Amino acid sequence: MAAIPFWMRLLALLPYLLPWSDALPFGRSLYGLFPALQWLSLPALPVVLLQQAVPFGGFLLFLVLFLAVVRNPRVPVYIRFNTLQAILLDILLVVLSLAFNLLLAPLGGTFAVRTLANTVFLGVLVVVLFAVVQCLRGKEADIPTLSDAVRMQL
């Protein structure tokens, strides 16, 4: 197996900014306790600005990534794999965000809701960091269940 070029490794980690940008609101209560965590939002700032500036920006970014990268056979499989994995992680975060807004919003900012939100934030942080490190190493980030779903789609 040939080594994956460095430029391809960098391109493969960029789609993980999409789920990271959607995970940032879950860590709101942690930012007050640990102000240094706010620095972790800087890499996702361009994606957040695009989502806020362009109507349906997140959906458009999803469509571009899915149609131009994942479904394009000329794009290397390594980049397609990581892009689809980031998209599936983002879909999971969007569903969690909807569940938080619809089901847990009436409870307000109780300790239990903040704890669940912090758990989601820290879980996504660990998964995204793992995926970024694996991309830089030139390996596929094998996330249980999620990677299996990606392999079935490619």
Side-chain angles (χ1 to χ4, degrees):
M1 184 172 157
I4 295 173
F6 189 69
W7 65 269
M8 197 182 298
R9 296 176 192 188
L10 288 178
L11 281 178
L13 68 85
L14 287 178
Y16 288 103
L17 292 176
L18 182 63
W20 181 239
S21 69
D22 285 338
L24 292 175
F26 287 104
R28 253 186 241 127
S29 63
L30 283 177
Y31 297 149
L33 297 172
F34 306 103
L37 282 177
Q38 292 177 357
W39 288 99
L40 293 175
S41 64
L42 283 180
L45 197 58
V47 177
V48 171
L49 292 175
L50 176 74
Q51 289 176 341
Q52 291 176 352
V54 177
F56 300 106
F59 182 66
L60 291 176
L61 186 58
F62 161 76
L63 284 178
V64 166
L65 285 174
F66 187 74
L67 296 175
V69 178
V70 174
R71 292 294 171 210
N72 187 351
R74 293 181 296 179
V75 175
V77 174
Y78 183 72
I79 294 175
R80 292 170 48 203
F81 175 85
N82 284 294
T83 302
L84 186 56
Q85 188 158 270
I87 287 173
L88 289 180
L89 185 59
D90 188 56
I91 290 171
L92 177 67
L93 280 170
V94 167
V95 169
L96 278 174
S97 178
L98 286 172
F100 266 77
N101 289 336
L102 294 175
L103 302 175
L104 299 177
L107 299 176
T110 63
F111 178 73
V113 173
R114 286 194 317 260
T115 302
L116 283 173
N118 292 340
T119 304
V120 170
F121 175 77
L122 292 174
V124 173
L125 174 63
V126 168
V127 168
V128 168
L129 282 178
F130 172 71
V132 165
V133 168
Q134 290 296 89
C135 282
L136 290 174
R137 292 179 62 207
K139 306 206 181 294
E140 287 183 350
D142 193 18
I143 301 167
T145 307
L146 193 62
S147 296
D148 295 335
V150 169
R151 286 187 188 96
M152 286 190 306
Q153 292 296 314
L154 289 181

mmCIF file with all atom_site columns, all heavy atoms in Angstrom, residues 6-20:
data_model
loop_
_atom_site.group_PDB
_atom_site.id
_atom_site.type_symbol
_atom_site.label_atom_id
_atom_site.label_alt_id
_atom_site.label_comp_id
_atom_site.label_asym_id
_atom_site.label_entity_id
_atom_site.label_seq_id
_atom_site.pdbx_PDB_ins_code
_atom_site.Cartn_x
_atom_site.Cartn_y
_atom_site.Cartn_z
_atom_site.occupancy
_atom_site.B_iso_or_equiv
_atom_site.pdbx_formal_charge
_atom_site.auth_seq_id
_atom_site.auth_comp_id
_atom_site.auth_asym_id
_atom_site.auth_atom_id
_atom_site.pdbx_PDB_model_num
ATOM 1   N N   . PHE A 1 6  ? 0.858   14.092 1.647  1.00 0.00 ? 6  PHE A N   1
ATOM 2   C CA  . PHE A 1 6  ? 0.499   15.007 2.725  1.00 0.00 ? 6  PHE A CA  1
ATOM 3   C C   . PHE A 1 6  ? -0.649  15.929 2.328  1.00 0.00 ? 6  PHE A C   1
ATOM 4   O O   . PHE A 1 6  ? -1.513  16.228 3.141  1.00 0.00 ? 6  PHE A O   1
ATOM 5   C CB  . PHE A 1 6  ? 1.735   15.828 3.148  1.00 0.00 ? 6  PHE A CB  1
ATOM 6   C CG  . PHE A 1 6  ? 1.500   16.627 4.391  1.00 0.00 ? 6  PHE A CG  1
ATOM 7   C CD1 . PHE A 1 6  ? 1.355   16.000 5.611  1.00 0.00 ? 6  PHE A CD1 1
ATOM 8   C CD2 . PHE A 1 6  ? 1.399   18.011 4.331  1.00 0.00 ? 6  PHE A CD2 1
ATOM 9   C CE1 . PHE A 1 6  ? 1.123   16.721 6.765  1.00 0.00 ? 6  PHE A CE1 1
ATOM 10  C CE2 . PHE A 1 6  ? 1.168   18.744 5.477  1.00 0.00 ? 6  PHE A CE2 1
ATOM 11  C CZ  . PHE A 1 6  ? 1.033   18.097 6.697  1.00 0.00 ? 6  PHE A CZ  1
ATOM 12  N N   . TRP A 1 7  ? -0.687  16.370 1.070  1.00 0.00 ? 7  TRP A N   1
ATOM 13  C CA  . TRP A 1 7  ? -1.774  17.262 0.646  1.00 0.00 ? 7  TRP A CA  1
ATOM 14  C C   . TRP A 1 7  ? -3.127  16.550 0.739  1.00 0.00 ? 7  TRP A C   1
ATOM 15  O O   . TRP A 1 7  ? -4.137  17.161 1.053  1.00 0.00 ? 7  TRP A O   1
ATOM 16  C CB  . TRP A 1 7  ? -1.534  17.787 -0.780 1.00 0.00 ? 7  TRP A CB  1
ATOM 17  C CG  . TRP A 1 7  ? -1.559  16.724 -1.844 1.00 0.00 ? 7  TRP A CG  1
ATOM 18  C CD1 . TRP A 1 7  ? -0.504  16.010 -2.320 1.00 0.00 ? 7  TRP A CD1 1
ATOM 19  C CD2 . TRP A 1 7  ? -2.714  16.240 -2.541 1.00 0.00 ? 7  TRP A CD2 1
ATOM 20  N NE1 . TRP A 1 7  ? -0.926  15.108 -3.266 1.00 0.00 ? 7  TRP A NE1 1
ATOM 21  C CE2 . TRP A 1 7  ? -2.278  15.240 -3.439 1.00 0.00 ? 7  TRP A CE2 1
ATOM 22  C CE3 . TRP A 1 7  ? -4.064  16.564 -2.500 1.00 0.00 ? 7  TRP A CE3 1
ATOM 23  C CZ2 . TRP A 1 7  ? -3.135  14.542 -4.279 1.00 0.00 ? 7  TRP A CZ2 1
ATOM 24  C CZ3 . TRP A 1 7  ? -4.934  15.867 -3.343 1.00 0.00 ? 7  TRP A CZ3 1
ATOM 25  C CH2 . TRP A 1 7  ? -4.457  14.885 -4.219 1.00 0.00 ? 7  TRP A CH2 1
ATOM 26  N N   . MET A 1 8  ? -3.119  15.236 0.472  1.00 0.00 ? 8  MET A N   1
ATOM 27  C CA  . MET A 1 8  ? -4.361  14.481 0.556  1.00 0.00 ? 8  MET A CA  1
ATOM 28  C C   . MET A 1 8  ? -4.786  14.312 2.022  1.00 0.00 ? 8  MET A C   1
ATOM 29  O O   . MET A 1 8  ? -5.974  14.346 2.338  1.00 0.00 ? 8  MET A O   1
ATOM 30  C CB  . MET A 1 8  ? -4.175  13.111 -0.103 1.00 0.00 ? 8  MET A CB  1
ATOM 31  C CG  . MET A 1 8  ? -5.477  12.420 -0.424 1.00 0.00 ? 8  MET A CG  1
ATOM 32  S SD  . MET A 1 8  ? -5.242  10.785 -1.157 1.00 0.00 ? 8  MET A SD  1
ATOM 33  C CE  . MET A 1 8  ? -4.368  11.165 -2.651 1.00 0.00 ? 8  MET A CE  1
ATOM 34  N N   . ARG A 1 9  ? -3.814  14.175 2.899  1.00 0.00 ? 9  ARG A N   1
ATOM 35  C CA  . ARG A 1 9  ? -4.120  14.074 4.333  1.00 0.00 ? 9  ARG A CA  1
ATOM 36  C C   . ARG A 1 9  ? -4.764  15.356 4.839  1.00 0.00 ? 9  ARG A C   1
ATOM 37  O O   . ARG A 1 9  ? -5.712  15.315 5.620  1.00 0.00 ? 9  ARG A O   1
ATOM 38  C CB  . ARG A 1 9  ? -2.854  13.791 5.118  1.00 0.00 ? 9  ARG A CB  1
ATOM 39  C CG  . ARG A 1 9  ? -2.211  12.473 4.794  1.00 0.00 ? 9  ARG A CG  1
ATOM 40  C CD  . ARG A 1 9  ? -0.915  12.321 5.538  1.00 0.00 ? 9  ARG A CD  1
ATOM 41  N NE  . ARG A 1 9  ? -0.153  11.190 5.033  1.00 0.00 ? 9  ARG A NE  1
ATOM 42  C CZ  . ARG A 1 9  ? 0.939   10.736 5.587  1.00 0.00 ? 9  ARG A CZ  1
ATOM 43  N NH1 . ARG A 1 9  ? 1.411   11.308 6.685  1.00 0.00 ? 9  ARG A NH1 1
ATOM 44  N NH2 . ARG A 1 9  ? 1.570   9.720  5.074  1.00 0.00 ? 9  ARG A NH2 1
ATOM 45  N N   . LEU A 1 10 ? -4.232  16.498 4.399  1.00 0.00 ? 10 LEU A N   1
ATOM 46  C CA  . LEU A 1 10 ? -4.798  17.784 4.822  1.00 0.00 ? 10 LEU A CA  1
ATOM 47  C C   . LEU A 1 10 ? -6.208  17.977 4.274  1.00 0.00 ? 10 LEU A C   1
ATOM 48  O O   . LEU A 1 10 ? -7.097  18.458 4.986  1.00 0.00 ? 10 LEU A O   1
ATOM 49  C CB  . LEU A 1 10 ? -3.901  18.932 4.381  1.00 0.00 ? 10 LEU A CB  1
ATOM 50  C CG  . LEU A 1 10 ? -2.582  19.077 5.140  1.00 0.00 ? 10 LEU A CG  1
ATOM 51  C CD1 . LEU A 1 10 ? -1.758  20.222 4.560  1.00 0.00 ? 10 LEU A CD1 1
ATOM 52  C CD2 . LEU A 1 10 ? -2.817  19.291 6.619  1.00 0.00 ? 10 LEU A CD2 1
ATOM 53  N N   . LEU A 1 11 ? -6.420  17.613 3.016  1.00 0.00 ? 11 LEU A N   1
ATOM 54  C CA  . LEU A 1 11 ? -7.761  17.737 2.443  1.00 0.00 ? 11 LEU A CA  1
ATOM 55  C C   . LEU A 1 11 ? -8.759  16.808 3.132  1.00 0.00 ? 11 LEU A C   1
ATOM 56  O O   . LEU A 1 11 ? -9.932  17.137 3.259  1.00 0.00 ? 11 LEU A O   1
ATOM 57  C CB  . LEU A 1 11 ? -7.729  17.427 0.945  1.00 0.00 ? 11 LEU A CB  1
ATOM 58  C CG  . LEU A 1 11 ? -7.234  18.541 0.032  1.00 0.00 ? 11 LEU A CG  1
ATOM 59  C CD1 . LEU A 1 11 ? -7.219  18.070 -1.411 1.00 0.00 ? 11 LEU A CD1 1
ATOM 60  C CD2 . LEU A 1 11 ? -8.096  19.774 0.169  1.00 0.00 ? 11 LEU A CD2 1
ATOM 61  N N   . ALA A 1 12 ? -8.299  15.651 3.584  1.00 0.00 ? 12 ALA A N   1
ATOM 62  C CA  . ALA A 1 12 ? -9.189  14.687 4.230  1.00 0.00 ? 12 ALA A CA  1
ATOM 63  C C   . ALA A 1 12 ? -9.634  15.148 5.611  1.00 0.00 ? 12 ALA A C   1
ATOM 64  O O   . ALA A 1 12 ? -10.706 14.766 6.073  1.00 0.00 ? 12 ALA A O   1
ATOM 65  C CB  . ALA A 1 12 ? -8.510  13.330 4.326  1.00 0.00 ? 12 ALA A CB  1
ATOM 66  N N   . LEU A 1 13 ? -8.853  15.982 6.267  1.00 0.00 ? 13 LEU A N   1
ATOM 67  C CA  . LEU A 1 13 ? -9.255  16.425 7.606  1.00 0.00 ? 13 LEU A CA  1
ATOM 68  C C   . LEU A 1 13 ? -10.139 17.668 7.584  1.00 0.00 ? 13 LEU A C   1
ATOM 69  O O   . LEU A 1 13 ? -10.830 17.950 8.561  1.00 0.00 ? 13 LEU A O   1
ATOM 70  C CB  . LEU A 1 13 ? -8.054  16.625 8.527  1.00 0.00 ? 13 LEU A CB  1
ATOM 71  C CG  . LEU A 1 13 ? -7.061  17.746 8.269  1.00 0.00 ? 13 LEU A CG  1
ATOM 72  C CD1 . LEU A 1 13 ? -7.509  19.042 8.886  1.00 0.00 ? 13 LEU A CD1 1
ATOM 73  C CD2 . LEU A 1 13 ? -5.742  17.340 8.879  1.00 0.00 ? 13 LEU A CD2 1
ATOM 74  N N   . LEU A 1 14 ? -10.174 18.400 6.494  1.00 0.00 ? 14 LEU A N   1
ATOM 75  C CA  . LEU A 1 14 ? -10.992 19.617 6.421  1.00 0.00 ? 14 LEU A CA  1
ATOM 76  C C   . LEU A 1 14 ? -12.496 19.378 6.621  1.00 0.00 ? 14 LEU A C   1
ATOM 77  O O   . LEU A 1 14 ? -13.149 20.179 7.284  1.00 0.00 ? 14 LEU A O   1
ATOM 78  C CB  . LEU A 1 14 ? -10.740 20.353 5.110  1.00 0.00 ? 14 LEU A CB  1
ATOM 79  C CG  . LEU A 1 14 ? -9.401  21.086 5.007  1.00 0.00 ? 14 LEU A CG  1
ATOM 80  C CD1 . LEU A 1 14 ? -9.263  21.720 3.632  1.00 0.00 ? 14 LEU A CD1 1
ATOM 81  C CD2 . LEU A 1 14 ? -9.249  22.105 6.102  1.00 0.00 ? 14 LEU A CD2 1
ATOM 82  N N   . PRO A 1 15 ? -13.088 18.311 6.085  1.00 0.00 ? 15 PRO A N   1
ATOM 83  C CA  . PRO A 1 15 ? -14.531 18.121 6.305  1.00 0.00 ? 15 PRO A CA  1
ATOM 84  C C   . PRO A 1 15 ? -14.929 17.955 7.769  1.00 0.00 ? 15 PRO A C   1
ATOM 85  O O   . PRO A 1 15 ? -16.090 18.160 8.124  1.00 0.00 ? 15 PRO A O   1
ATOM 86  C CB  . PRO A 1 15 ? -14.856 16.853 5.509  1.00 0.00 ? 15 PRO A CB  1
ATOM 87  C CG  . PRO A 1 15 ? -13.799 16.771 4.479  1.00 0.00 ? 15 PRO A CG  1
ATOM 88  C CD  . PRO A 1 15 ? -12.577 17.357 5.096  1.00 0.00 ? 15 PRO A CD  1
ATOM 89  N N   . TYR A 1 16 ? -13.987 17.600 8.632  1.00 0.00 ? 16 TYR A N   1
ATOM 90  C CA  . TYR A 1 16 ? -14.322 17.443 10.047 1.00 0.00 ? 16 TYR A CA  1
ATOM 91  C C   . TYR A 1 16 ? -14.601 18.784 10.723 1.00 0.00 ? 16 TYR A C   1
ATOM 92  O O   . TYR A 1 16 ? -15.044 18.808 11.872 1.00 0.00 ? 16 TYR A O   1
ATOM 93  C CB  . TYR A 1 16 ? -13.216 16.681 10.779 1.00 0.00 ? 16 TYR A CB  1
ATOM 94  C CG  . TYR A 1 16 ? -13.187 15.223 10.403 1.00 0.00 ? 16 TYR A CG  1
ATOM 95  C CD1 . TYR A 1 16 ? -12.229 14.724 9.532  1.00 0.00 ? 16 TYR A CD1 1
ATOM 96  C CD2 . TYR A 1 16 ? -14.146 14.348 10.891 1.00 0.00 ? 16 TYR A CD2 1
ATOM 97  C CE1 . TYR A 1 16 ? -12.213 13.392 9.168  1.00 0.00 ? 16 TYR A CE1 1
ATOM 98  C CE2 . TYR A 1 16 ? -14.148 13.013 10.529 1.00 0.00 ? 16 TYR A CE2 1
ATOM 99  C CZ  . TYR A 1 16 ? -13.177 12.540 9.666  1.00 0.00 ? 16 TYR A CZ  1
ATOM 100 O OH  . TYR A 1 16 ? -13.184 11.225 9.294  1.00 0.00 ? 16 TYR A OH  1
ATOM 101 N N   . LEU A 1 17 ? -14.362 19.882 10.014 1.00 0.00 ? 17 LEU A N   1
ATOM 102 C CA  . LEU A 1 17 ? -14.747 21.189 10.555 1.00 0.00 ? 17 LEU A CA  1
ATOM 103 C C   . LEU A 1 17 ? -16.264 21.354 10.586 1.00 0.00 ? 17 LEU A C   1
ATOM 104 O O   . LEU A 1 17 ? -16.789 22.107 11.406 1.00 0.00 ? 17 LEU A O   1
ATOM 105 C CB  . LEU A 1 17 ? -14.118 22.315 9.725  1.00 0.00 ? 17 LEU A CB  1
ATOM 106 C CG  . LEU A 1 17 ? -12.604 22.438 9.806  1.00 0.00 ? 17 LEU A CG  1
ATOM 107 C CD1 . LEU A 1 17 ? -12.111 23.519 8.869  1.00 0.00 ? 17 LEU A CD1 1
ATOM 108 C CD2 . LEU A 1 17 ? -12.152 22.690 11.226 1.00 0.00 ? 17 LEU A CD2 1
ATOM 109 N N   . LEU A 1 18 ? -16.964 20.652 9.708  1.00 0.00 ? 18 LEU A N   1
ATOM 110 C CA  . LEU A 1 18 ? -18.432 20.741 9.673  1.00 0.00 ? 18 LEU A CA  1
ATOM 111 C C   . LEU A 1 18 ? -19.073 20.189 10.953 1.00 0.00 ? 18 LEU A C   1
ATOM 112 O O   . LEU A 1 18 ? -19.833 20.904 11.607 1.00 0.00 ? 18 LEU A O   1
ATOM 113 C CB  . LEU A 1 18 ? -18.970 20.036 8.425  1.00 0.00 ? 18 LEU A CB  1
ATOM 114 C CG  . LEU A 1 18 ? -20.470 20.076 8.200  1.00 0.00 ? 18 LEU A CG  1
ATOM 115 C CD1 . LEU A 1 18 ? -20.949 21.506 8.008  1.00 0.00 ? 18 LEU A CD1 1
ATOM 116 C CD2 . LEU A 1 18 ? -20.852 19.232 7.000  1.00 0.00 ? 18 LEU A CD2 1
ATOM 117 N N   . PRO A 1 19 ? -18.759 18.956 11.370 1.00 0.00 ? 19 PRO A N   1
ATOM 118 C CA  . PRO A 1 19 ? -19.360 18.512 12.638 1.00 0.00 ? 19 PRO A CA  1
ATOM 119 C C   . PRO A 1 19 ? -18.830 19.291 13.839 1.00 0.00 ? 19 PRO A C   1
ATOM 120 O O   . PRO A 1 19 ? -19.555 19.511 14.811 1.00 0.00 ? 19 PRO A O   1
ATOM 121 C CB  . PRO A 1 19 ? -18.994 17.029 12.730 1.00 0.00 ? 19 PRO A CB  1
ATOM 122 C CG  . PRO A 1 19 ? -17.915 16.812 11.766 1.00 0.00 ? 19 PRO A CG  1
ATOM 123 C CD  . PRO A 1 19 ? -18.041 17.862 10.708 1.00 0.00 ? 19 PRO A CD  1
ATOM 124 N N   . TRP A 1 20 ? -17.587 19.734 13.768 1.00 0.00 ? 20 TRP A N   1
ATOM 125 C CA  . TRP A 1 20 ? -17.045 20.502 14.889 1.00 0.00 ? 20 TRP A CA  1
ATOM 126 C C   . TRP A 1 20 ? -17.784 21.832 15.040 1.00 0.00 ? 20 TRP A C   1
ATOM 127 O O   . TRP A 1 20 ? -18.066 22.267 16.159 1.00 0.00 ? 20 TRP A O   1
ATOM 128 C CB  . TRP A 1 20 ? -15.549 20.709 14.723 1.00 0.00 ? 20 TRP A CB  1
ATOM 129 C CG  . TRP A 1 20 ? -14.947 21.471 15.851 1.00 0.00 ? 20 TRP A CG  1
ATOM 130 C CD1 . TRP A 1 20 ? -14.279 22.637 15.773 1.00 0.00 ? 20 TRP A CD1 1
ATOM 131 C CD2 . TRP A 1 20 ? -14.978 21.136 17.241 1.00 0.00 ? 20 TRP A CD2 1
ATOM 132 N NE1 . TRP A 1 20 ? -13.887 23.037 17.029 1.00 0.00 ? 20 TRP A NE1 1
ATOM 133 C CE2 . TRP A 1 20 ? -14.310 22.133 17.945 1.00 0.00 ? 20 TRP A CE2 1
ATOM 134 C CE3 . TRP A 1 20 ? -15.533 20.073 17.959 1.00 0.00 ? 20 TRP A CE3 1
ATOM 135 C CZ2 . TRP A 1 20 ? -14.177 22.113 19.335 1.00 0.00 ? 20 TRP A CZ2 1
ATOM 136 C CZ3 . TRP A 1 20 ? -15.398 20.049 19.331 1.00 0.00 ? 20 TRP A CZ3 1
ATOM 137 C CH2 . TRP A 1 20 ? -14.725 21.059 19.997 1.00 0.00 ? 20 TRP A CH2 1
#
